[in-house]
Amino acid sequence: TRTPKPTPRPTLTAGEEYAYVREMLATNAGCELPCWWGITPGESDWQEAMDQLPRLNFQFWFPEELVKYDIHLVLTKEEGLVKTIAVSGQCFECDRFAQDWERYSLDQVLSRYGVASRVRIALALPVEPGGPIYYLLYIFYDDLGIGIIYMGPAIEQGELLRTCFSFDYITLLLQQSESSMPLEQTINPDEWSFAVPLEDATGMSLEGFYETFRQPGACLEAPPTFGSLPLTEGE
């Protein structure tokens, strides 16, 4: 018998890779999370998934904007199938990032998937006094196998911090909806320990959060009394 040869990954130029990424971010290959770019945890064949992706790590440099744009995919397997998918993307002070990831902006996610089962929030403090402050927002749809982490700027206004949940960094944690594994299992325990439940941090219910932030441009103003995660050099 002849052993079938796996289909080689497509070879693309840098421009073609970026066009591919933009299309996939806009359409998700016609599927909904936790499916990612046509690959579904618990259903998709591992080798077929590996063959269809041009690569797992994408890096784009835009010298005219002096920005670097990164996207990393981490897939795990079990019994020949894709088990989990973790996706992270970042591009700080980069307008094109918000445009490319619009499908996964907070208002779009809430509108598409409804009231989250859990929401947590933390602050990332600057290394030096006077440096930028960032929020970290953790949204989980446990029954769907979807977890999303946003990170973006927060601004001090008197005794309050204000953020409109624009983001420069995003991580998606995706798994089969029937999985018993906690979505936060892959988050660094030290980081997770600073994340405070939304209700405790802001007094806002999950339903109130949904009704407010499914509207584009909505902002949060709250006293900085929730967990503060120190930033380290390079973050």
Side-chain angles (χ1 to χ4, degrees), residues 106-107 109-111 114-116 119 141 198 204-219:
L106 180 59
D107 61 284
V109 166
L110 292 174
S111 296
V115 178
V119 178
Y141 292 90
L198 174 75
M204 184 177 292
S205 67
L206 293 173
E207 291 76 12
F209 183 84
Y210 164 76
E211 291 294 344
T212 299
F213 293 103
R214 70 189 177 104
Q215 307 298 328
C219 301

Coordinates of all heavy atoms in Angstrom, one line a residue, residues 106-107 109-111 114-116 119 141 198 204-219:
L106 N -14.5 44.1 21.9 CA -15.4 43.8 23.0 C -16.9 43.9 22.6 O -17.7 43.0 22.9 CB -15.1 44.7 24.2 CG -16.0 44.4 25.4 CD1 -15.8 43.0 25.9 CD2 -15.6 45.4 26.5
D107 N -17.3 44.9 21.9 CA -18.7 45.1 21.5 C -19.1 44.0 20.6 O -20.2 43.5 20.6 CB -18.9 46.5 20.9 CG -18.1 46.8 19.7 OD1 -16.9 47.0 19.8 OD2 -18.7 46.7 18.6
V109 N -17.8 40.9 20.3 CA -17.9 39.6 21.0 C -19.1 39.5 21.8 O -19.8 38.5 21.8 CB -16.6 39.5 21.8 CG1 -16.8 38.3 22.8 CG2 -15.4 39.2 21.0
L110 N -19.4 40.6 22.5 CA -20.7 40.6 23.4 C -21.9 40.5 22.5 O -22.8 39.7 22.8 CB -20.7 41.8 24.2 CG -19.6 41.9 25.3 CD1 -19.7 43.3 26.0 CD2 -19.8 40.8 26.4
S111 N -21.9 41.2 21.4 CA -23.1 41.1 20.5 C -23.3 39.8 19.9 O -24.4 39.3 19.7 CB -23.0 42.2 19.4 OG -23.0 43.5 19.9
G114 N -23.3 37.0 23.5 CA -24.2 37.3 24.6 C -23.5 37.6 26.0 O -22.3 37.9 26.0
V115 N -24.2 37.4 27.0 CA -23.7 37.6 28.4 C -22.6 36.6 28.7 O -22.9 35.4 28.6 CB -24.8 37.5 29.4 CG1 -24.3 37.8 30.8 CG2 -25.9 38.6 29.1
A116 N -21.5 37.1 29.1 CA -20.4 36.1 29.5 C -20.7 35.4 30.8 O -21.4 35.9 31.6 CB -19.1 36.9 29.6
V119 N -16.3 37.4 34.0 CA -15.5 38.5 33.6 C -14.6 38.9 34.7 O -15.1 39.1 35.9 CB -16.4 39.7 33.1 CG1 -15.4 40.9 32.8 CG2 -17.3 39.4 32.0
Y141 N -16.6 32.4 28.1 CA -17.9 31.8 27.8 C -17.6 30.3 28.0 O -17.2 29.6 27.1 CB -18.3 32.1 26.4 CG -18.7 33.5 26.1 CD1 -17.8 34.4 25.8 CD2 -20.0 33.9 26.3 CE1 -18.1 35.8 25.5 CE2 -20.4 35.2 26.1 CZ -19.4 36.1 25.7 OH -19.8 37.5 25.5
L198 N -15.5 41.0 38.0 CA -16.0 42.3 37.6 C -16.9 42.9 38.6 O -16.8 44.1 38.9 CB -16.9 42.0 36.3 CG -17.6 43.2 35.8 CD1 -16.7 44.2 35.1 CD2 -18.7 42.8 34.8
M204 N -20.5 46.3 38.9 CA -21.4 46.0 37.7 C -21.7 44.5 37.6 O -20.8 43.7 37.7 CB -20.7 46.6 36.4 CG -21.5 46.5 35.2 SD -20.6 47.2 33.7 CE -20.6 48.9 34.2
S205 N -22.9 44.2 37.3 CA -23.3 42.8 37.0 C -22.8 42.4 35.6 O -22.5 43.2 34.8 CB -24.8 42.6 37.2 OG -25.5 43.3 36.1
L206 N -22.8 41.1 35.4 CA -22.5 40.6 34.1 C -23.5 41.0 33.1 O -23.2 41.4 31.9 CB -22.4 39.0 34.1 CG -21.3 38.4 34.9 CD1 -21.5 36.9 35.0 CD2 -20.0 38.8 34.4
E207 N -24.8 41.1 33.5 CA -25.8 41.6 32.5 C -25.7 43.1 32.2 O -25.8 43.5 31.1 CB -27.2 41.3 33.1 CG -27.6 39.8 33.2 CD -26.9 39.1 34.4 OE1 -26.3 39.8 35.2 OE2 -27.0 37.8 34.4
G208 N -25.3 43.8 33.3 CA -25.1 45.2 33.1 C -23.9 45.5 32.2 O -23.9 46.4 31.4
F209 N -22.8 44.7 32.4 CA -21.6 44.8 31.6 C -22.0 44.6 30.1 O -21.6 45.3 29.2 CB -20.6 43.8 32.1 CG -19.3 43.9 31.3 CD1 -18.3 44.8 31.7 CD2 -19.0 43.0 30.3 CE1 -17.1 44.9 31.0 CE2 -17.8 43.0 29.6 CZ -16.8 43.9 30.0
Y210 N -22.8 43.5 29.9 CA -23.2 43.2 28.5 C -24.0 44.3 27.9 O -23.7 44.7 26.7 CB -24.0 41.9 28.6 CG -24.8 41.6 27.3 CD1 -24.2 41.2 26.2 CD2 -26.2 41.9 27.3 CE1 -24.9 40.9 25.0 CE2 -26.9 41.6 26.2 CZ -26.3 41.2 25.0 OH -27.1 41.0 23.9
E211 N -25.0 44.8 28.6 CA -25.8 45.8 28.0 C -25.1 47.1 27.7 O -25.3 47.8 26.7 CB -27.0 46.2 29.0 CG -28.0 45.0 29.1 CD -28.8 44.8 27.8 OE1 -28.8 45.6 26.9 OE2 -29.4 43.7 27.8
T212 N -24.1 47.4 28.6 CA -23.3 48.7 28.4 C -22.3 48.5 27.3 O -22.2 49.4 26.3 CB -22.5 49.0 29.7 OG1 -23.5 49.2 30.7 CG2 -21.7 50.3 29.5
F213 N -21.5 47.4 27.3 CA -20.3 47.4 26.4 C -20.5 46.6 25.1 O -19.6 46.5 24.3 CB -19.1 46.8 27.2 CG -18.7 47.7 28.2 CD1 -19.0 47.5 29.6 CD2 -18.0 48.9 27.9 CE1 -18.6 48.4 30.6 CE2 -17.6 49.8 28.9 CZ -17.9 49.5 30.3
R214 N -21.8 46.2 24.8 CA -22.1 45.7 23.5 C -22.3 46.9 22.6 O -22.5 46.8 21.3 CB -23.2 44.8 23.5 CG -24.6 45.3 23.8 CD -25.6 44.2 23.9 NE -26.9 44.8 24.3 CZ -28.0 44.9 23.5 NH1 -27.8 44.5 22.2 NH2 -29.1 45.3 23.9
Q215 N -22.3 48.1 23.2 CA -22.5 49.4 22.4 C -21.1 49.9 22.0 O -20.2 50.0 22.9 CB -23.2 50.4 23.2 CG -24.6 50.0 23.7 CD -25.5 49.6 22.6 OE1 -25.5 50.1 21.5 NE2 -26.4 48.6 22.9
P216 N -20.8 50.1 20.8 CA -19.4 50.6 20.4 C -19.1 51.9 21.1 O -20.0 52.8 21.2 CB -19.5 50.8 18.9 CG -20.7 49.9 18.4 CD -21.6 49.9 19.6
G217 N -17.9 52.1 21.6 CA -17.5 53.3 22.1 C -17.8 53.5 23.6 O -17.4 54.5 24.2
A218 N -18.4 52.5 24.2 CA -18.7 52.7 25.7 C -17.4 52.6 26.5 O -16.5 51.9 26.1 CB -19.7 51.6 26.1
C219 N -17.4 53.3 27.6 CA -16.2 53.4 28.4 C -16.5 53.1 29.9 O -17.6 53.2 30.3 CB -15.6 54.8 28.3 SG -15.1 55.3 26.7

